[in-house]
Amino acid sequence: KSWYFPCVMPRCVGYLVQMGAERKSAKMTDKVRELTAYHEGGHALVAYFTKGAHPIHKATIMPRGQALGMVHQLPETDVVSVSAEEMRAELDVCMGGRAAEELIFGADKVTSGASSDLERATDVARRMVTLYGLSDKIGPVVFSRDDKETISPETRELIDHEVRAILDDSKNRATKLLQSKKHKLTQLAKVLLEKETLTGPEIKAILN
């Protein structure tokens, strides 16, 4: 087993996740393979073009553990703290998979594969609001889990509103980026379907 710093379906960049071996015997339909290629291609494209995102090490549509595919990112240095720019980049990369599904296949064809992407993005956004002081409306205040019972209903509602606003902004950024480079997304997905695994330099060559 290997350790990855991945952006995967279903887990997105930010956690070190121990992934299982590639399931080469796993059978996916052509439609699922195509959707997975666009999903992972969406993650990869957003990661490549978003300032603050970690460099891409590789992308694959080979099933591994519970994931149908993954984009493996590696930070260039040891991570001891994370900037607001890097957190927003992480959110955008998380949103890239679902945004790509919507762009290519339509909202009615979006799958459950992005559920953990959204879970991770929501966790990051909530931390931005309640722990890191990155909401103008909330301000430089920390709300810990121990404060949950003492926070007023109005403040809880404002926190939820700010978290939703951060996530909506992130999805909009990812969608606009993918729309502007839709031809590159299609090209990347087609090569992923053909080769199944691409290295960072190979992805760079496609997207440049």
Side-chain angles (χ1 to χ4, degrees), residues 43-111:
H43 284 312
L45 189 149
V46 174
Y48 183 78
F49 287 107
T50 299
K51 187 177 180 181
H54 293 303
I56 302 168
H57 177 62
K58 75 172 182 177
T60 182
I61 59 170
M62 286 292 294
R64 182 184 291 273
Q66 297 301 310
L68 297 180
M70 60 172 285
V71 173
H72 176 190
Q73 292 174 269
L74 285 174
E76 295 179 300
T77 60
D78 291 340
V79 178
V80 294
S81 64
V82 184
S83 69
E85 179 183 71
E86 290 168 331
M87 282 184 266
R88 293 189 185 98
E90 180 178 353
L91 292 177
D92 292 4
V93 175
C94 283
M95 293 295 182
R98 183 185 179 116
E101 290 185 24
E102 288 188 2
L103 177 63
I104 300 301
F105 302 102
D108 289 341
K109 300 297 183 181
V110 168
T111 71

Side-chain angles (χ1 to χ4, degrees), residues 95 163-173:
M95 293 295 182
V163 170
R164 175 63 185 269
I166 288 173
L167 294 173
D168 285 344
D169 287 345
S170 175
K171 189 185 176 208
N172 288 337
R173 287 193 301 268

Side-chain angles (χ1 to χ4, degrees), residues 100-149:
E101 290 185 24
E102 288 188 2
L103 177 63
I104 300 301
F105 302 102
D108 289 341
K109 300 297 183 181
V110 168
T111 71
S112 60
S115 62
S116 289
D117 294 338
L118 299 179
E119 180 182 359
R120 173 59 182 162
T122 301
D123 179 63
V124 172
R126 188 165 294 277
R127 287 173 177 272
M128 291 172 69
V129 172
T130 61
L131 296 180
Y132 306 143
L134 296 176
S135 163
D136 290 337
K137 291 184 179 180
I138 298 296
V141 181
V142 171
F143 296 99
S144 69
R145 292 182 179 180
D146 295 335
D147 296 327
K148 185 175 181 180
E149 299 301 324

